[in-house]
């Protein structure tokens, strides 16, 4: 009995190794068999039998939007969603993605834009995954969502459409998105570097005086330093948004810093209203 069990275990190990090594060849054999079946399979009346297969490239699924829509968790089917053209199986999160649940809006489709806009009511397939018009901060948020799904859920494949073509290759649109994401990441790195060099101000608000900003040797990250600095506006790249930064006296003339209106340039605190 022991010898038989040993031989059976050895055979199973060999089969597993061969299946791994010759995975592609095995897939091709099944594809050939399927094609032959389609050539000869007929009904009693001589009509062709319609058989549909989801296209794959190795072990990665390539789904059309119509195919993805069928993975909606109904009648025991898996629950899939797409983000930036990447398809994930979120079946184990059924309490979030199941019918009637909070994130069911994303099931069976690519609604990438809604991940950052919070629009869960109206779905427009023409614009739902069109992310190129989003701000850099929104693209960074989308990238974090993608990292979340890659970590917590099973990656299944690619959605044919805006991000991937019918062969699973990245589209020109996808390349544009990646370029914008890279630009956003570099911009954020610059901002982070500036925030480390010029700590943020202390901020408080009161109805009587509005917003007060001021600097101390521990303002910003709370780490002690040898200087307090003076409150200045430090604008983002778009020149529309700014944050208060504490700037050393020797660097106050740098044009990237702006004084607060109606505040003495040498004051260690300023007040303003939005």
């Amino acid at each position: 009995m022991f010898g038989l069990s040993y031989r059976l275990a050895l055979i199973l190990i060999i089969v597993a190794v061969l299946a791994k090594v010759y995975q592609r060849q095995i897939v091709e054999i099944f594809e050939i068999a399927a094609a032959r079946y389609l050539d000869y399979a007929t009904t009693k009346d001589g009509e062709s039998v319609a058989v549909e297969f989801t296209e794959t490239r190795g072990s990665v699924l390539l789904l059309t939007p119509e195919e993805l829509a069928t993975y909606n968790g109904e009648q025991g089917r898996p629950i899939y969603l797409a983000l930036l053209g990447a398809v994930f199986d979120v079946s184990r999160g059924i309490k979030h993605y199941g019918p009637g649940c909070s994130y069911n809006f994303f099931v069976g489709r690519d609604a990438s834009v809604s991940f950052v806009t919070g629009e869960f009511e109206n779905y427009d397939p023409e614009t739902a995954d069109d992310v190129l018009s989003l701000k850099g901060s929104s693209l960074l948020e989308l990238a974090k969502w993608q990292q979340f799904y890659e970590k917590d859920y099973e990656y299944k494949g690619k959605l044919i459409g805006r991000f991937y073509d019918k062969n699973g290759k990245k589209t020109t649109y996808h390349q544009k998105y990646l370029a914008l994401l890279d630009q956003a990441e570099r911009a954020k790195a610059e901002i982070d570097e500036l925030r480390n060099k010029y700590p943020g101000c202390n901020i408080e608000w009161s109805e009587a005086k509005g917003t007060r900003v001021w600097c101390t040797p521990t303002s910003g990250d709370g780490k002690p330093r040898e200087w307090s600095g003076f409150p200045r506006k430090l604008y983002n790249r778009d020149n529309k948004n700014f944050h208060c930064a504490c700037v050393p006296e020797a660097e106050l003339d740098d044009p990237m810093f702006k004084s607060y209106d109606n505040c003495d340039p040498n004051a260690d605190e300023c007040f303003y209203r939005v």
Side-chain angles (χ1 to χ4, degrees), residues 38-252:
L38 289 174
D39 287 339
Y40 295 104
T42 57
T43 64
K44 293 181 179 180
D45 298 327
E47 297 178 352
S48 297
V49 176
V51 179
E52 296 182 357
F53 294 92
T54 297
E55 188 175 3
T56 65
R57 290 291 183 270
S59 60
V60 176
L61 293 176
L62 278 178
L63 298 174
T64 65
E66 293 75 20
E67 289 170 333
L68 178 60
T70 66
Y71 291 90
N72 53 18
E74 297 179 3
Q75 299 180 347
R77 290 186 64 81
I79 304 175
Y80 289 1
L81 63 75
L83 175 63
L84 301 171
V87 178
F88 299 93
D89 184 343
V90 296
S91 300
R92 68 183 187 85
I94 190 170
K95 66 180 181 179
H96 301 297
Y97 299 97
C101 297
S102 55
Y103 287 98
N104 182 255
F105 174 84
F106 296 101
V107 170
R109 58 178 58 149
D110 189 332
S112 295
V113 175
S114 291
F115 277 94
V116 293
T117 63
E119 171 56 62
F120 295 169
E121 297 296 330
N122 301 309
Y123 172 72
D124 181 356
E126 296 298 320
T127 60
D129 60 347
D130 188 359
V131 301
L132 294 190
S133 61
L134 296 176
K135 294 181 179 179
S137 58
S138 295
L139 295 179
L140 293 173
E141 187 175 348
L142 273 178
K144 289 182 179 180
W145 274 110
Q146 188 170 26
Q147 291 170 4
F148 164 76
Y149 281 104
E150 289 173 348
K151 178 182 177 182
D152 284 29
Y153 292 100
E154 182 182 359
Y155 171 75
K156 299 302 293 186
K158 304 171 183 178
L159 177 64
I160 300 171
R162 201 182 294 275
F163 291 91
Y164 295 98
D165 63 21
K166 63 181 181 180
N167 296 312
K169 302 295 184 181
K170 292 178 181 177
T171 61
T172 301
Y173 183 97
H174 196 154
Q175 299 294 348
K176 290 180 180 179
Y177 156 71
L178 292 176
L180 288 176
L181 177 60
D182 178 68
Q183 181 178 328
E185 289 174 338
R186 285 187 283 108
K188 183 180 182 301
E190 290 178 9
I191 292 174
D192 291 343
E193 183 178 355
L194 287 174
R195 287 181 181 272
N196 288 330
K197 186 176 182 180
Y198 306 105
C201 307
N202 297 311
I203 301 177
E204 67 177 12
W205 179 88
S206 69
E207 187 173 354
K209 294 185 177 182
T211 301
R212 175 195 176 206
V213 292
W214 76 101
C215 296
T216 65
T218 57
S219 57
D221 56 14
K223 296 178 181 179
R225 57 182 183 274
E226 296 180 354
W227 51 276
S228 294
F230 299 86
R232 289 292 188 271
K233 296 178 181 179
L234 178 57
Y235 281 85
N236 296 338
R237 273 190 170 189
D238 57 12
N239 287 323
K240 295 180 180 179
N241 301 307
F242 68 88
H243 73 277
C244 182
C246 293
V247 182
E249 184 175 6
E251 300 182 46
L252 290 177

Side-chain angles (χ1 to χ4, degrees), residues 230-232 252 259-271:
F230 299 86
R232 289 292 188 271
L252 290 177
S259 299
Y260 282 89
D261 297 336
N262 303 317
C263 185
D264 188 294
N266 295 318
D268 57 8
E269 66 175 5
C270 296
F271 296 86

